[in-house]
Amino acid sequence: MTTPLAVTARALLFDMDGTLVDSAASIDRVWREFAARHGLAPETVLAALPGRTARDIVAGCLPEADGDTVAAEVARIREREEAATDAVAEIPGARRLLTSLPADAWAVVTSASRTMTERRLAAAGLPLPEVAVCAGDVQAGKPDPEGFRTAARLLGVDIADCLLFEDSAPGLLAARRSGGTAVAVAAPAEEAAPYRVDDLTAVSAHPGDGRIRVEIQPSRTHAEPAEEIRR
C-alpha cells in the first residue's frame, strides 16, 4: 500500500459548499431564478458564485442597483437558499473526517448565512461546528482572508498552524493570503495549493497531544516542494 503524505496541524478549517457539502443543484436553481428576474445570462451569474457572499454577487451582477434593491435581492435569495435543502448531500469522506476531529480543532468558514450553514450541514448529515464564521461575521468576504483568520482566533490557534480546505478560486486565494496551508478539494487545476484532493475520502486525521496528524493519499494529491508544506 502506498504511504500517504503527512502533515501536522493544530486545527482544520473548512469551506462548506463544494468542500463539505454538495449543494450545487439547489444553488444553481436559486441563482438561475435571480438571473431570469433581471434578464441576465445565467452562465454569467453562475460563474460569479464560487466563494463569494450573496451581497457581493448581487452587487456585481446589478452594478446600477441602489443599496435597498441589493438588500432586498439578498434577502430574497437567502430565503430561497435556506429553504432549498432537498438536493444537499455530503461530499464523500466529510462525515468520517469531521467526526474524527476534536470539537475544538475544526471550524467552518463560509460565505453562506449562519441559518443556511446550519441547515445545509444538517441536511447532509454532518455535525455542526462549535466555531463557524459565516457571511455576517466578517467585514470582507473571500478572497479576503478575514474569515479564516477569525476562525483560527476563535479556536485559539495560530493560522500558520492550520490546514484550510477549499474548492473555489476565491477561497483558495483567501487561504493562501491568510498564512495557513491550503488543501484544494476538487478545485480547478490552475489554482495553486500545496495539497490537492478529489474529495475528503483522501484525507484522514489522527489527533494526539494537542496536534493532529493529517494523512493525504498521494495517489489523489499533488504537492508543491516539501519545504513549502512541512509543519
Side-chain angles (χ1 to χ4, degrees):
M1 181 175 293
T2 305
T3 302
L5 300 172
V7 63
T8 63
R10 288 284 306 280
L12 279 60
L13 312 181
F14 298 91
D15 172 54
M16 181 178 66
D17 295 302
T19 301
L20 293 176
V21 304
D22 180 356
S23 52
S26 61
I27 291 172
D28 183 280
R29 183 166 64 245
V30 171
W31 285 97
R32 283 183 181 276
E33 292 171 357
F34 164 79
R37 282 198 302 276
H38 296 280
L40 302 172
E43 294 77 13
T44 300
V45 173
L46 296 177
L49 301 187
R52 295 184 172 91
T53 64
R55 183 173 298 279
D56 288 345
I57 297 163
V58 171
C61 290
L62 303 176
E64 304 302 320
D66 59 26
D68 289 342
T69 300
V70 171
E73 274 296 344
V74 169
R76 183 173 184 174
I77 288 164
R78 282 182 175 167
E79 181 179 5
R80 291 283 291 117
E81 286 194 320
E82 288 168 1
T85 58
D86 55 308
V88 175
E90 168 200 12
I91 292 292
R95 185 184 302 107
R96 174 191 53 79
L97 179 57
L98 295 182
T99 56
S100 72
L101 295 168
D104 62 354
W106 69 280
V108 169
V109 181
T110 176
S111 300
S113 69
R114 186 165 297 275
T115 298
M116 195 185 310
T117 298
E118 293 174 352
R119 289 182 179 176
R120 284 184 179 164
L121 290 173
L126 300 179
L128 298 181
E130 291 187 355
V131 171
V133 179
C134 304
D137 300 322
V138 295
Q139 295 298 313
K142 301 169 185 175
D144 192 279
E146 180 186 356
F148 285 120
R149 290 175 177 169
T150 299
R153 177 177 54 79
L154 292 173
L155 289 173
V157 300
D158 189 330
I159 188 65
D161 218 4
C162 295
L163 293 181
L164 284 51
F165 293 76
E166 264 287 357
D167 72 303
S168 72
L172 285 167
L173 181 54
R176 294 195 296 270
R177 289 173 171 174
S178 73
T181 298
V183 181
V185 182
E190 64 271 17
E191 296 302 323
Y195 296 93
R196 304 185 69 85
V197 297
D198 292 333
D199 59 42
L200 297 178
T201 62
V203 184
S204 61
H206 309 277
D209 298 326
R211 298 190 66 79
I212 304 165
R213 177 182 171 84
V214 180
E215 297 182 350
I216 303 175
Q217 293 295 331
S219 62
R220 309 187 74 184
T221 67
H222 166 74
E224 298 293 340
E227 61 268 23
E228 296 185 16
I229 60 177
R230 188 177 296 119
R231 282 285 180 268

